[in-house]
Amino acid sequence: MSNSIEIKGEEKLNWFGRFLNKVEILGNKMPDPVTIFMALSFILIIISYFASGVTVINPSNNKEVQAVNLLSKSGFRTILTQCVIKFQEFPPLGMVLVVMFGAGVAEKSGLMEVAMKTSIVKVPKKLVTATTILICILSDGAGDAGFILLPPLAATVFLSIGRHPLVGMFAAYAGVAGGFSANLIVNMTDVLMASFTIPAAKILNKNYNCTPAMNIYFMIFSTIILVICGVFVTERIIAPRFEKDSFQFKQDEYKKICDSEKKGLKWAGMSILIMIVIIVLLSVGEDAFMSDPKTGSLLAWESPLMQGLIPIITIMFLIPGVIYGKITGSIKNDKDIVTMMGESMKDMASYIVLAFAASIFIALFNWSNLGIIMSVKGANLLKNSGFTGVGIIIGFIILESFINIFIGSASAKWAIMAPIFVPMLMLLGYSPAVTQMAFRIGDSITNPISPLFTYFPILITFVRKYDKKAGMGTMISNMLPYSIVFGLFWTISLLVFIEFNIPLGPGGNIKYII
C-alpha cells in the first residue's frame, strides 16, 4: 500500500476539485501543525496586550469580563505554573490514551482486522459509505468516543473493500464531527443544551418549561439529510481526489479467514455480548448502579454510565482482544498484552506532541478571556444588526459557525449566547427550541474544518498512518466540502420547518406567542 495520497490529475477534476487541490497544496506548505499552534500562541499573547482593558458583561451571570494581558507579570506566572496542568487536563488526551490501551490490544492481536473482514461482506458495497456516515452521526449518543474510534475503523472498512482508506476516514470524521447535533434518539447533548435553554427562556417567561427532546423530530430528519449529503460529498467530491483507476487492493486477501480466527472471533463476540448484558443489568431499576444517584437519569453527565464510558469502551476492546489473541496464538502471555499496549502508545507519540501544543493555545485563549469577549461582541453585533424573521436565524447560524472555529466547547458558548438569543428570538416570535436548534447547526458544521477543535489533532495522527506527508491542508481541503454542504442543506431544512410551522419536537413549536 502506498504511504502517500494519490490525487487525480487536474484535467480529470471539475473547478471545485481543482480548488480543493490548491487549498491542500497551499495548506500543506504551511509549517507543521505543532509549529502553527506555537506561533498562534505567541500571536495570541501579543493580541492580549493590545486588548487589555476591553470589557463585556457575561450574560450567563451578569458579571463583567475583562481581557487579560498575558504579557504581564501575572500572565507569565500563570503560563509558567499552569501549562503542564492544562496539558494534563486537555480533554481528549486522557480519553484517547486510555481507549488506545484496549483498542491497541484489539488491533495488534488481529481482532479488529478479522472483525472487519467478516462484517463488511454483509453490507452491500453501495451502502458502505451511507452506513459509515450514519453510524458516525449516531455516535454522538456515546459522547466523544466516536471521534477516537470511528475514523480509523472506517479507514479499515474501506480498505477491506478495496477503496482508499482515507476516503472512509474523512467520511467518518465528517459524520461524527459535522453531524454532531443530529441523531435518532435523545442523548446527553440534548440534556446539556436544554439545561441552558430553559433557564434562558425563563428570563422572559418564568413559567416556561420544555423537555430535552424539544428538537428530536428535526434531529431525526437531519440525520437522514446529512447521510444523503455525506454520501454525495464522499462519492462525488472526495473519492475522485483519491481513487484513481490504478488504485486497487487485492480484495481476496481480506476474505480468507482460518478456523482459529473464526473461533477467536466467535468467543470474542460472546465476551462483548456478556459485557453488554452486564451493563444493561446495571442500568435498570430505580436505584441502578449506572444512573445518576440524584436524578436517576442514565444520560445525565454525572451518571456513572456517562462518566465511565471511556473505561467501559476500553474494557470492551481489551477483553475481546485478549480472548481472540489467546485462541489464535497472537497472545501467549501477559507480557504480550503489555507489549501491544506499549506499541499502541508508540503510534500515538506524534499526537501527544501535537496535543501539548494545542492544549497550550486553547489554555491561553481561555486565560485571555478573548473567547468570551468574541462571543458577546458577536452576539451584540447580530442583535443590533436590524435583521428580522428568518434573516436573524441565518445570521445566528453563520455567527455561531464562525465562533465555533475558535471555541470548541458547545456548553461554554451556549451558556453565554443562550441568555442573549433565546429571549431575543422569543420576542420576535420564535420558540426557544428554534433558537437552540439554530445554535446546534452552527456549532456542528465547522467542527470538521476547525484546527482548534479538540479532536482535529487526533485526525491528523490517523491520516498520517496512510499519508506520511499529510498536513493541515490535507485535512481542511477534504473537510471543507462537508462543512459547506452540511451547512447549506441543514440550514435550508430548518427554514422549511419554520416556513411550514412543523414542530421540532415535543413542546418544540416554531412560534412563540408572548
Side-chain angles (χ1 to χ4, degrees), residues 49 164 216 248 332 379 440:
Y49 172 79
H164 200 296
I216 187 61
Q248 297 289 334
K332 296 179 176 59
R440 297 178 71 175

Side-chain angles (χ1 to χ4, degrees), residues 484-495:
I484 294 174
V485 175
F486 281 13
L488 178 63
F489 284 90
W490 212 349
T491 301
I492 291 174
S493 298
L494 181 59
L495 297 183

Side-chain angles (χ1 to χ4, degrees), residues 66-106:
Q66 181 173 348
V68 175
N69 177 14
L70 297 176
L71 273 176
S72 64
K73 182 187 295 184
S74 61
F76 277 119
R77 186 181 291 122
T78 299
I79 295 172
L80 182 64
T81 60
Q82 296 293 313
C83 63
V84 175
I85 295 175
K86 290 302 178 182
F87 173 53
Q88 294 171 333
E89 294 176 349
F90 189 53
L93 183 63
M95 289 189 291
V96 170
L97 298 184
V98 171
V99 167
M100 287 307 297
F101 284 133
V105 173

Side-chain angles (χ1 to χ4, degrees), residues 192-205:
L192 182 63
M193 292 293 100
S195 69
F196 294 106
T197 303
I198 295 173
K202 288 180 179 291
I203 295 174
L204 191 65
N205 181 359

Side-chain angles (χ1 to χ4, degrees), residues 21 36 125 127 203 309 330 406 415 450:
N21 276 358
I36 292 175
K125 288 187 178 181
L127 298 180
I203 295 174
L309 201 57
S330 59
F406 303 95
S450 172

Side-chain angles (χ1 to χ4, degrees), residues 165-201:
L166 290 186
V167 175
M169 186 176 292
F170 289 133
Y173 188 72
V176 72
F180 190 73
S181 285
N183 215 303
L184 300 178
I185 60 173
V186 177
N187 55 63
M188 63 182 181
T189 302
D190 298 276
V191 177
L192 182 63
M193 292 293 100
S195 69
F196 294 106
T197 303
I198 295 173

Side-chain angles (χ1 to χ4, degrees), residues 220-494:
I220 294 172
F221 180 80
S222 299
T223 301
I224 299 171
I225 292 297
L226 293 184
V227 169
I228 295 173
C229 290
V231 171
F232 172 82
V233 172
T234 302
E235 301 301 341
R236 296 296 184 89
I237 301 176
I238 304 303
R241 306 186 70 232
F242 291 87
E243 297 178 340
K244 289 185 174 182
D245 296 336
S246 60
F247 191 85
Q248 297 289 334
F249 290 97
K250 295 181 180 179
Q251 298 180 42
D252 292 341
E253 295 180 8
Y254 292 90
K255 297 179 182 179
K256 295 178 181 179
I257 302 175
C258 66
D259 292 338
S260 65
E261 290 175 330
K262 292 179 180 178
K263 182 179 178 181
L265 187 61
K266 173 185 174 182
W267 285 104
M270 288 294 293
S271 69
I272 294 174
L273 182 61
I274 291 171
M275 286 186 287
I276 292 175
V277 170
I278 293 173
I279 293 172
V280 170
L281 292 176
L282 292 174
S283 302
V284 298
E286 294 183 1
D287 191 24
F289 175 81
M290 290 292 186
S291 64
D292 180 7
K294 294 182 179 179
T295 64
S297 172
L298 291 170
L299 295 177
W301 177 245
E302 296 80 8
S303 70
L305 180 61
M306 294 295 103
Q307 290 289 324
L309 201 57
I310 294 301
I312 288 172
I313 291 174
T314 302
I315 293 171
M316 294 190 74
F317 273 110
L318 179 61
I319 292 178
V322 172
I323 292 174
Y324 177 86
K326 292 291 290 185
I327 292 175
T328 59
S330 59
I331 295 178
K332 296 179 176 59
N333 51 48
D334 62 305
K335 294 180 180 179
D336 290 337
I337 299 173
V338 175
T339 298
M340 290 179 179
M341 289 181 176
E343 289 175 352
S344 67
M345 289 300 103
K346 290 180 183 178
D347 296 339
M348 301 304 296
S350 60
Y351 167 71
I352 295 173
V353 176
L354 186 55
F356 175 75
S359 68
I360 296 301
F361 175 78
I362 293 172
L364 291 172
F365 205 71
N366 292 332
W367 290 333
S368 67
N369 285 333
L370 292 178
I372 295 176
I373 292 172
M374 180 188 298
S375 298
V376 175
K377 291 284 188 182
N380 289 334
L381 179 65
L382 182 60
K383 183 178 180 179
N384 299 325
S385 64
F387 283 122
T388 58
V390 296
I392 198 165
I393 299 294
I394 297 173
F396 182 40
I397 293 174
I398 294 173
L399 172 67
E400 168 52 22
S401 65
F402 175 76
I403 293 175
N404 186 57
I405 295 176
F406 303 95
I407 309 174
S409 174
S411 59
K413 293 194 298 289
W414 194 224
I416 295 169
M417 303 180 79
I420 298 175
F421 284 100
V422 170
M424 182 178 75
L425 290 179
M426 288 171 71
L427 291 173
L428 292 176
Y430 292 109
S431 76
V434 174
T435 310
Q436 177 179 278
M437 197 63 240
F439 170 83
R440 297 178 71 175
I441 292 174
D443 187 62
S444 297
I445 56 179
T446 49
N447 281 341
I449 61 172
S450 172
L452 304 183
F453 189 56
T454 50
Y455 293 99
F456 194 87
I458 190 66
L459 178 67
I460 296 178
T461 302
F462 291 149
V463 169
R464 284 179 174 171
K465 178 179 179 180
Y466 301 99
D467 178 12
K468 303 299 183 184
K469 299 180 180 179
M472 200 169 288
T474 305
M475 261 56 71
I476 293 177
S477 65
N478 288 289
M479 290 293 102
L480 186 61
Y482 291 105
S483 288
I484 294 174
V485 175
F486 281 13
L488 178 63
F489 284 90
W490 212 349
T491 301
I492 291 174
S493 298
L494 181 59

